[in-house]
Structures are given as structure tokens and as C-alpha cells.
């Protein structure tokens, strides 16, 4: 990447130094030529089939209005430069995401377009391109420097609220939580609640796997998610049922009661704990049916060593939730 102040010193041929991830080697083939800013955005709007889904921004007022009228949608402001050689790849990426979900809106800002745009960049403290800023309800919730395709896909899935297609229930208030636990109290299905927060890289990294697991276990287990940054009651609830103070965290409920917990972004560890609890649940049901007394086994808490260390194979360290 390079600073905007120096971006005009680079020729389009050298603009590839702004890209700092491996998305260029991805299997996607980008054959569309780079167009002028005006023509390029016209094509984007037509292909997205909604002229408001990818909006070109020319000043701070348009930027603020774009955030204000987006309501519950996830808004991603994408800052680039007119000469940036990988603009076409970013544009195709935006088109793909708009086709995949109606819950996303993009604000497209060409950082060296005019003095008004430069003022916007200074106000938002944008000094590198490309740069992606995530908003929800006009609140900045995430930032990604560089066109990191895999990271962006994970973050979009993590931050958007797509109730129609997601296999994970989004808990927005205390009533949602209490209703979920009550409704699943007698159907013998484990409820797994993923506790997360904004700007949490481990949370976003494991979430795609959680969504996939929830889809595979539909009918056998219920997955839900709650964000401690979006729900004041969440921390109060956590203090009432467990001593967990780190995220990502997973709470396992069965028969209306907390049965176990798991902390960290290790998917294998999460599945292992889920299988153990399901086995105990089946064992308990069988013993109850046969009239045999059941003694709870000692639960094994995940050790800190799973999340400590700087080796490439180690999962990301969990984020400490503010008290």
C-alpha cells in the first residue's frame, strides 16, 4: 500500500505495490478492462441492478447521506485512487457481493478525484489505498487495509444481518435470548450461542465455519449469535451464567440450562466439545429412561495453551471483552 499523498507519484504500472495480500493468485479470472471512473461506476450500477447499491461519492455531504439512508444495511466505504491498477478486481468483488446479498451497500470513493474528496479522506483519516471501512447504523465497526479478498468475504459474512439465508439466529435483545432458550427447553436439542464483538479478528475468522456447521446440523442443534458491542444486556447475562470474559466464546444450553462453554477460535475444539455434550445428553436420557442414577462428569475446560503462541499453526488469540 502507499499513502494518498504519494499516490500521484506512482504510475499505473507500479500501483500493484498497494495490494498486500494473496488475492491476485486466487482462481478468479478478471478480464474486464479498467475504465474511467465515470464509465466504470455506470457499469457497476447497471450490473448490480440497483443504482443505490454501489454509490459513487463526490463530497463529505454525499458520504454522510449515504450512511444515513442505509438503515439496517451493512455499509462498506471503499477508498481507492483513479490510477490504481487493481480497481477492476475490486469493482467485480463489489458486484459479486451485491448479487449475493441485499443487505450490503457500497460507497465508492476515488481519493484523488477532487479537493472535496481529499478533505473527506483527511476527515476520515484515510491515508492508504485501497481501504475498506465498515459501518452499521452510521457507526464504524471494522476497517480493512488493502484488498484482502478472503478477509473481506469473512468480514462481510460476519457483520451483515442476513436473516433469510443465515442458519445462525441473530439475538438482538434479551427477549430474543430468553425466547430461544425457552422454546428449545424440551426438544432435546443443544443450543449453541456464539458470543462475539466488533473488530474481533478471531470472531470473524471462525464465523464462516460456524455458519457451515449450523447448516449441517440443522434439526440436531440450534446455533445463535449475540454481539456484546450491540447489546448492553449481553454482559449482564454473561456475568449471571458464567465467568467468561473473552471472545469468541460459545455457550451450550440444554433443557434450558447452561451445560458447557468453549472459548477460542479453534473449530476442532468447538466440535469436540459439542460432540462430548451431545454424548452426555444421550447418556443422560438413556439412564433416565432405564431409571439408572446419573452422575455429572467433570467438565474439561479448554486450556490457555490452545490460544497462546505465535506459531503460524496457532489459532488467533481470543479478544478480552471490556468489563
Amino acid at each position: 500500500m502507499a499513502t494518498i499523498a504519494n499516490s500521484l507519484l506512482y504510475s499505473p504500472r507500479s500501483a500493484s505495490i498497494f495490494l498486500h495480500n494473496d488475492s491476485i493468485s486466487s482462481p478468479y479470472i478478471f478480464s474486464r478492462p479498467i475504465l474511467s471512473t465515470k464509465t466504470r461506476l455506470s457499469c457497476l450500477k447497471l450490473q448490480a441492478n440497483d443504482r443505490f447499491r454501489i454509490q459513487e461519492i463526490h463530497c463529505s455531504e454525499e458520504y454522510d447521506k449515504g450512511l444515513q439512508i442505509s438503515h439496517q444495511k451493512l455499509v462498506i466505504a471503499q477508498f481507492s485512487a483513479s490510477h490504481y491498477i487493481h480497481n477492476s478486481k475490486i469493482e467485480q468483488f463489489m458486484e459479486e457481493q451485491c448479487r449475493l446479498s441485499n443487505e450490503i451497500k457500497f460507497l465508492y470513493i476515488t481519493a484523488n478525484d477532487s479537493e472535496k474528496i481529499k478533505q473527506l479522506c483527511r476527515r476520515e483519516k484515510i491515508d492508504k489505498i485501497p481501504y475498506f471501512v465498515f459501518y452499521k447504523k452510521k457507526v464504524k465497526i471494522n476497517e480493512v487495509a488493502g484488498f484482502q479478498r478472503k478477509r473481506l468475504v469473512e468480514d462481510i459474512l460476519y457483520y451483515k444481518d442476513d436473516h433469510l439465508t443465515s442458519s445462525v439466529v441473530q439475538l438482538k435483545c434479551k427477549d430474543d435470548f430468553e425466547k430461544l432458550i425457552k422454546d428449545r427447553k424440551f426438544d432435546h436439542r443443544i443450543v449453541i450461542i456464539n458470543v462475539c464483538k466488533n473488530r474481533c479478528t478471531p470472531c470473524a475468522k471462525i464465523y464462516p465455519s460456524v455458519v457451515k456447521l449450523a447448516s449441517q446440523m440443522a434439526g440436531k442443534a440450534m446455533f445463535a449469535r449475540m454481539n456484546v458491542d450491540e447489546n448492553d444486556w449481553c454482559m449482564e447475562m454473561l456475568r449471571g451464567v458464567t465467568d467468561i470474559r473473552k471472545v469468541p466464546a460459545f455457550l451450550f444450553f440444554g433443557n434450558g440450562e447452561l451445560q458447557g462453554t468453549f472459548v477460542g477460535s479453534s473449530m476442532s475444539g468447538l466440535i469436540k466439545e459439542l460432540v462430548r455434550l451431545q454424548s452426555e445428553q444421550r447418556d443422560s436420557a438413556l439412564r433416565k429412561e432405564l431409571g439408572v442414577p446419573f452422575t455429572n462428569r467433570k467438565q474439561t475446560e479448554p486450556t490457555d495453551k490452545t490460544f497462546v503462541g505465535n506459531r503460524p499453526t496457532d489459532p488467533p488469540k481470543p479478544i478480552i471483552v471490556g468489563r
Side-chain angles (χ1 to χ4, degrees):
M1 295 187 301
T3 62
I4 291 175
N6 296 329
S7 64
L8 294 177
L9 300 178
Y10 291 94
S11 66
R13 182 178 298 275
S14 64
S16 60
I17 64 171
F18 297 159
L19 195 73
H20 70 141
N21 81 314
D22 58 356
S23 61
I24 288 299
S25 60
S26 68
Y28 289 87
I29 299 175
F30 303 97
S31 58
R32 191 163 49 128
I34 298 177
L35 308 174
S36 67
T37 304
K38 184 176 180 180
T39 306
R40 186 170 62 233
L41 268 295
S42 298
C43 292
L44 283 172
K45 291 172 185 176
L46 290 173
Q47 292 176 4
N49 198 29
D50 187 341
R51 63 189 301 268
F52 299 107
R53 297 284 299 286
I54 302 178
Q55 178 184 355
E56 186 176 10
I57 300 298
H58 303 93
C59 60
S60 300
E61 290 75 16
E62 290 183 1
Y63 188 85
D64 295 337
K65 186 177 181 180
L67 295 177
Q68 185 175 1
I69 65 176
S70 298
H71 306 295
Q72 301 293 328
K73 289 184 183 294
L74 172 65
V75 181
I76 304 175
Q78 193 269 312
F79 293 82
S80 189
S82 58
H83 69 276
Y84 182 50
I85 196 171
H86 297 297
N87 277 335
S88 60
K89 300 174 177 60
I90 296 177
E91 290 154 15
Q92 186 171 7
F93 173 79
M94 291 191 294
E95 292 174 10
E96 291 171 354
Q97 295 305 311
C98 285
R99 286 194 294 267
L100 289 172
S101 175
N102 292 323
E103 302 302 318
I104 305 172
K105 175 179 178 178
F106 284 92
L107 304 181
Y108 191 98
I109 303 99
T110 304
N112 59 345
D113 187 44
S114 66
E115 185 57 37
K116 289 184 177 181
I117 288 296
K118 292 178 183 177
Q119 291 176 2
L120 171 62
C121 292
R122 287 193 288 268
R123 189 192 78 175
E124 298 298 319
K125 299 180 180 179
I126 306 297
D127 60 357
K128 300 179 178 66
I129 56 106
Y131 203 83
F132 298 80
V133 185
F134 290 56
Y135 291 90
K136 189 175 287 186
K137 298 179 181 179
K138 299 188 294 183
V139 177
K140 188 182 296 185
I141 58 175
N142 187 42
E143 298 174 74
V144 178
F147 180 44
Q148 307 178 56
R149 185 184 181 90
K150 182 179 178 182
R151 164 81 182 277
L152 287 168
V153 169
E154 291 176 347
D155 286 0
I156 288 174
L157 177 63
Y158 179 69
Y159 286 107
K160 72 176 180 178
D161 292 331
D162 208 336
H163 302 282
L164 297 178
T165 60
S166 178
S167 52
V168 178
V169 178
Q170 307 297 322
L171 304 179
K172 294 297 183 181
C173 61
K174 185 177 182 179
D175 290 341
D176 290 347
F177 168 76
E178 293 177 346
K179 184 177 185 301
L180 176 67
I181 300 302
K182 182 179 179 180
D183 291 347
R184 298 290 174 266
K185 187 173 182 179
F186 301 108
D187 65 359
H188 305 293
R189 280 198 292 173
I190 291 180
V191 177
I192 303 99
I193 299 180
N194 176 203
V195 183
C196 60
K197 71 188 301 291
N198 296 336
R199 299 177 183 269
C200 171
T201 300
C203 297
K205 186 176 181 62
I206 194 176
Y207 189 64
S209 298
V210 172
V211 172
K212 184 177 180 180
L213 181 62
S215 178
Q216 293 173 341
M217 297 193 66
K220 300 178 181 178
M222 172 67 70
F223 284 77
R225 178 175 69 156
M226 57 184 178
N227 190 317
V228 297
D229 289 332
E230 298 177 2
N231 301 286
D232 295 336
W233 60 271
C234 185
M235 288 302 299
E236 180 182 348
M237 185 278 293
L238 286 175
R239 294 189 186 99
V241 299
T242 180
D243 59 353
I244 287 179
R245 294 295 180 269
K246 294 181 179 181
V247 293
F250 297 86
L251 311 180
F252 300 87
F253 287 86
N255 300 322
E257 298 180 352
L258 182 68
Q259 301 292 330
T261 62
F262 179 80
V263 180
S265 59
S266 169
M267 198 61 196
S268 60
L270 172 63
I271 293 174
K272 183 178 179 180
E273 181 67 9
L274 176 58
V275 170
R276 184 185 71 80
L277 290 171
Q278 284 185 317
S279 177
E280 285 191 358
Q281 192 177 58
R282 288 192 298 268
D283 191 18
S284 176
L286 180 60
R287 286 173 177 269
K288 184 177 181 180
E289 182 179 347
L290 297 176
V292 179
F294 176 76
T295 304
N296 285 322
R297 302 174 191 172
K298 183 179 180 180
Q299 294 189 4
T300 56
E301 296 292 335
T303 59
D304 289 338
K305 67 180 181 181
T306 307
F307 315 112
V308 177
N310 297 316
R311 295 174 298 170
T313 55
D314 286 343
K317 297 178 182 178
I319 305 298
I320 298 177
V321 180
R323 298 182 183 276

